[in-house]
Amino acid sequence: MPDLLIELFSEEIPARMQKRAGEDLQKLVTNGLVEAGLTYGSAAVFTTPRRLTLALGDMLAASPRQVEERKGPKADAPEKAIEGFLRGAGLTRDQLEERDTPKGKVLFAKIEKPGRPAAEIVAEVLEQTIRNFPWPKSMRWGSGSLKWVRPLHSILCVISDEAGAEVVPLTIDGITAGNTTRGHRFLAPDEIEVAGFEDYQDKLSRAFVVLDPAARADTIWHDATNMAFAAGLEVVEDAGLLAEVAGLVEYPVVLMGRIGEDFLGLPPEVLQTSMKEHQKFFSVRNPKSGQIERFVTVANRTTADEGATILAGNEKVLGARLSDAKFFWDNDLRSVTTGAGMETWVKALENVTFHNKLGTQAELIDRMATLSRELAPLVGADADEAEKAARVAKADLSSEMVYEFPELQGLMGSYYARKAGMSDSVADAAKDHYAPLGPSDDVPTAPVSIAVALAEKIDKLTGFWAIDEKPTGSKDPFALRRAALGVIRILVENDVSLSLNDVLGQSAEIVGERDAGRADTADILGFIHDRLKVYLRDQGIRHDVIDACIAMDGSDDLTLLVKRARALSETLKTDDGENLIQGFKRANNILSQAEEADGVEYSFGADPKFAETEAEKDLFAALDKAEAKITPAMAAHDFSTAMAAMAELRGPIDAFFEAVQVNAENPTVRRNRLNLLSRIRTICSAVADLTKLDG
């Protein structure tokens, strides 16, 4: 079976677009071929800055013959209707078949479509793919109608098998498909003729082109880490930068340069950010001091002087960039160490709008400070420290460094707070109060940082709820889902137990003082519970288990709620726990039906002296034993012990239903047994609302 090789060769494709472009090329071509009846055995896509390559293996040499059956009008339909059907099918009247149906004789046509050679189908599909390629940005280059992200120079399209290689006949906007490509722009720019994918890959390798982006990334990381290790240093890991740089070069050559002595005193994060954002350099640090001392750059070619000229140029440009960063750093330090310090920056935020309905950044800081003081005793923080931390946490938004590098906000505030003589807890809160920004980020753990981080997120929720800017569908412009998840993770992962209802109420009052409106705190709690379900589902806890725990009193204490849900989830993984739920539901159903039919509530009065069977007596004893364990365990929030005690009821409940008829003829016995079922419901419902469980 033949193989197919496609290469679209152009000017440099932006690195951020390459991965998606390769995926789109594979999807569009393979989907088009399969729809046309041309299947294949394997597919692989490769990208470099100058080419998108798709290789298909074991493709059919031609599409199979197809027979389509088409239902037509009735046999006695008007002639014009039949003639129209014949024109559409491309057949004559004698080629139709009459069949008996419940509605009478109906005409059917069998339309045969012969198979088509692979080259013909590939040409159609590839032209459609190229002309409709979903680039995020594209434009016409030259006088043709074709739009491409950068000028498209050539199309390589070859079908090969044991007999040889065939060029697919295709011309798009004056570009005719062929069997040639080009190697590295500088090291091997001449045309290369290829006969198939293996030949193509081998010749490109010899022409200084590493086709696979993963191989380029591996080469870069291997050479960079070895080079740093030889100097007693280490490369700062950055997967995103590694992927981007691998998309900037076809033949990676790793070079390590030095940072000027004048800049080594800058915070490591400033050096790292400046080099990454402006130069796409990797940072190399001293593992003993943590200081960034060198950089790694990746050239796209070898040179006679082994990269010395390239490094000299890069070091010169880097010096200019870092001079700007040092200027910002020095100016900021002068601001925080003289005069009013960071208070001047906070004052400046009175002119910076947070939201037109929620006021300025300075007003946000006031709300955070008030709420942080309220939260402090609940999380074990000093109230004065928490308030002070909240008041300076966002001060660095006025700094020159954060204006240049917004991604450093919070972190720079931590440096400036220390330079201003503030405590470590205040400085750490400035750095940590935005966290966690993503599901894999660490949460703040220091008490003051926890208070300020919670205040920032809870204020955001109550504020935007108050002005009716809640998330809708997939839209969440103010990142309120992230804020809710941050509240959940901070509380749960730090084992902080508090009434979220009370805290939301306090925050709503603080926000309401600005006439922004009163937030519906019950709705916010429901929103947080929805995010909690996602958070716990990712940990393998079923949605019905979470619902069963949310239905209990005190579900606004997320830490206890999660402990309850985890304990119930573990209990349900045991045979006793799973079977107990069936026994509970049977008892609850019988009891509910009896209460509805009798118009009374069976909620007390079960007495073992009316027990007629050993199974009844055993159940009475088991319930007494379980209740004696569950009640103190629940009071101590020891959910695992309570759940285990509940699971022990499985055997006695099963034995009871096997041996006892609840609706006995004797009304006293019947009432006693229904009250016994009520005890089962009451004791089991103390741990969770088991009626919410599926099954």
Side-chain angles (χ1 to χ4, degrees):
M1 299 178 77
D3 299 330
L4 171 65
L5 173 63
I6 296 171
E7 181 203 70
L8 306 178
F9 184 83
S10 69
E11 293 296 322
E12 274 74 4
I13 303 166
R16 67 183 184 279
M17 297 184 186
Q18 291 171 22
K19 184 175 186 294
R20 176 66 182 272
E23 293 169 351
D24 287 337
L25 176 64
Q26 179 175 337
K27 179 181 177 181
L28 292 171
V29 171
T30 55
N31 285 355
L33 295 180
V34 171
E35 286 174 8
L38 210 60
T39 58
Y40 59 94
S42 61
V45 67
F46 305 92
T47 61
T48 79
R50 304 176 73 203
R51 67 199 83 220
L52 302 179
T53 301
L54 175 65
L56 300 184
D58 297 330
M59 183 179 69
L60 291 178
S63 62
R65 183 178 69 89
Q66 296 178 327
V67 178
E68 177 190 352
E69 184 173 270
R70 192 177 298 177
K71 183 181 178 181
K74 289 184 177 181
D76 57 356
E79 283 300 317
K80 287 189 176 181
I82 296 176
E83 288 173 4
F85 178 65
L86 291 172
R87 282 195 300 274
L91 301 176
T92 60
R93 180 68 174 79
D94 59 342
Q95 291 176 303
L96 300 182
E97 178 185 348
E98 289 187 15
R99 295 183 193 170
D100 290 325
T101 70
K103 295 184 178 181
K105 292 185 180 295
V106 176
L107 298 175
F108 286 84
K110 284 188 177 180
I111 305 170
E112 294 189 8
K113 294 182 179 180
R116 301 166 62 202
E120 182 181 326
I121 296 173
V122 169
E124 289 180 3
V125 170
L126 185 54
E127 179 170 5
Q128 184 75 6
T129 296
I130 292 174
R131 291 194 179 278
N132 298 284
F133 203 82
W135 291 110
K137 292 182 179 180
S138 61
M139 63 182 294
R140 288 194 298 272
W141 304 90
S143 59
S145 62
L146 176 65
K147 289 185 176 182
W148 206 247
V149 65
R150 294 290 186 271
L152 182 64
H153 290 314
S154 67
I155 301 169
L156 184 155
C157 191
V158 174
I159 296 175
S160 57
D161 56 19
E162 296 83 356
E166 169 194 5
V167 174
V168 173
L170 171 66
T171 299
I172 301 176
D173 269 27
I175 303 173
T176 301
N179 63 347
T180 60
T181 185
R182 292 181 181 274
H184 191 280
R185 182 186 289 276
F186 305 111
L187 303 177
D190 296 334
E191 277 194 351
I192 301 169
E193 185 174 317
V194 301
F197 176 70
E198 291 185 3
D199 183 43
Y200 168 80
Q201 188 175 34
D202 180 60
K203 288 179 177 177
L204 279 183
S205 179
R206 285 186 272 122
F208 303 97
V209 175
V210 180
L211 187 61
D212 187 351
R216 296 197 299 275
D218 288 343
T219 297
I220 292 168
W221 187 248
H222 176 269
D223 292 354
T225 52
N226 281 354
M227 201 173 287
F229 180 77
L233 305 171
E234 62 183 14
V235 183
V236 177
E237 289 191 39
D238 191 326
L241 179 60
L242 179 60
E244 184 177 6
V245 173
L248 295 174
V249 296
E250 288 194 321
Y251 188 73
V253 177
V254 175
L255 305 169
M256 187 165 71
R258 294 181 177 276
I259 298 172
E261 292 287 338
D262 292 345
F263 309 120
L264 294 180
L266 288 170
E269 297 86 356
V270 172
L271 290 170
Q272 185 177 348
T273 302
S274 180
M275 292 192 294
K276 173 183 177 178
E277 295 300 320
H278 294 311
Q279 305 301 126
K280 309 305 176 189
F281 291 169
F282 293 90
S283 297
V284 181
R285 70 183 165 211
N286 186 323
K288 296 178 181 178
S289 65
Q291 181 63 46
I292 305 295
E293 296 182 356
R294 298 192 187 184
F295 67 88
V296 162
T297 185
V298 181
N300 192 32
R301 58 171 297 169
T302 57
T303 60
D305 62 359
E306 297 183 339
T309 302
I310 294 174
L311 267 183
N314 281 328
E315 288 173 350
K316 184 176 180 179
V317 173
L318 179 61
R321 289 291 189 186
L322 294 183
S323 292
D324 291 341
K326 188 174 187 303
F327 175 78
F328 299 141
W329 170 249
D330 290 341
N331 278 358
D332 287 342
L333 287 185
R334 278 193 293 271
S335 295
V336 300
T337 56
T338 60
M342 297 181 77
E343 287 77 7
T344 304
W345 287 352
V346 175
K347 182 73 174 174
L349 293 176
E350 292 178 359
N351 300 315
V352 179
T353 300
F354 169 62
H355 187 279
N356 63 339
K357 293 182 180 179
L358 293 172
T360 65
Q361 288 282 356
E363 289 176 289
L364 167 62
I365 289 169
D366 284 340
R367 295 196 302 271
M368 284 176 53
T370 303
L371 188 57
S372 294
R373 175 170 280 278
E374 297 292 338
L375 284 166
L378 302 177
V379 300
D382 178 85
D384 291 337
E385 284 282 277
E387 181 178 356
K388 185 174 183 180
R391 291 202 177 277
V392 300
K394 294 185 180 295
D396 65 350
L397 295 177
S398 297
S399 69
E400 293 185 34
M401 186 69 78
V402 170
Y403 185 83
E404 177 69 12
F405 299 112
E407 59 270 38
L408 293 179
Q409 59 186 280
L411 177 65
M412 295 312 302
S414 175
Y415 280 106
Y416 298 141
R418 284 187 170 86
K419 294 292 184 180
M422 297 181 187
S423 66
D424 287 344
S425 61
V426 171
D428 289 340
K431 178 183 65 176
D432 296 337
H433 82 281
Y434 291 108
L437 291 175
S440 59
D441 289 354
D442 293 335
V443 301
T445 56
V448 172
S449 296
I450 291 172
V452 180
L454 283 175
E456 193 261 352
K457 292 162 183 60
I458 290 172
D459 177 85
K460 181 180 289 187
L461 290 167
T462 54
F464 284 104
W465 245 257
I467 62 174
D468 198 26
E469 289 284 2
K470 297 178 284 189
T472 56
S474 60
K475 296 181 179 179
D476 186 12
F478 303 110
L480 300 181
R481 292 187 178 96
R482 185 172 70 191
L485 181 59
V487 171
I488 292 166
R489 290 191 58 207
I490 290 170
L491 292 174
V492 172
E493 294 179 26
N494 285 294
D495 198 23
V496 173
S497 183
L498 54 75
S499 170
L500 202 51
N501 264 331
D502 291 346
V503 175
L504 290 171
Q506 290 172 324
S507 179
E509 287 182 13
I510 296 168
V511 171
E513 290 175 359
R514 201 188 168 277
D515 297 327
R518 174 77 185 197
D520 184 347
T521 56
D523 193 40
I524 300 175
L525 183 59
F527 176 75
I528 293 174
H529 280 160
D530 287 341
R531 304 315 301 163
L532 179 66
K533 291 178 184 179
V534 176
Y535 173 72
L536 292 179
R537 274 204 298 268
D538 290 342
Q539 298 177 19
I541 298 179
R542 293 168 10 197
H543 70 91
D544 57 326
V545 171
I546 305 167
D547 287 335
C549 297
I550 288 176
M552 303 298 290
D553 291 338
S555 63
D556 65 324
D557 188 329
L558 301 186
T559 299
L560 294 184
L561 174 57
V562 169
K563 289 180 179 179
R564 189 192 297 260
R566 287 173 175 162
L568 180 56
S569 180
E570 290 302 312
T571 300
L572 293 180
K573 292 176 183 178
T574 66
D575 290 340
D576 282 348
E578 187 62 37
N579 291 327
L580 171 67
I581 301 306
Q582 303 308 316
F584 166 82
K585 290 194 172 184
R586 184 176 178 183
N588 186 58
N589 289 337
I590 293 172
L591 183 59
S592 298
Q593 291 169 7
E595 288 178 333
E596 183 178 356
D598 299 345
V600 298
E601 180 181 331
Y602 295 100
S603 58
F604 63 94
D607 193 329
K609 72 180 181 182
F610 295 112
E612 295 184 341
T613 67
E614 288 300 317
E616 279 181 276
K617 295 174 183 177
D618 290 345
L619 182 54
F620 270 108
L623 289 171
D624 289 340
K625 181 180 178 182
E627 191 170 24
K629 292 181 179 179
I630 290 173
T631 301
M634 292 301 295
H637 300 140
D638 184 357
F639 299 110
S640 296
T641 297
M643 300 288 180
M646 182 185 71
E648 291 175 1
L649 292 172
R650 177 260 177 111
I653 290 176
D654 286 351
F656 173 80
F657 281 120
E658 288 178 7
V660 173
Q661 180 181 347
V662 175
N663 290 309
E665 293 183 4
N666 185 320
T668 301
V669 173
R670 175 178 178 271
R671 183 168 57 253
N672 195 61
R673 289 174 178 173
L674 289 171
N675 281 321
L676 185 59
L677 297 188
S678 179
R679 279 200 71 194
I680 295 174
R681 180 168 67 183
T682 301
I683 291 173
C684 291
S685 296
V687 296
D689 186 351
L690 303 185
T691 62
K692 300 286 186 182
L693 297 177
D694 293 340

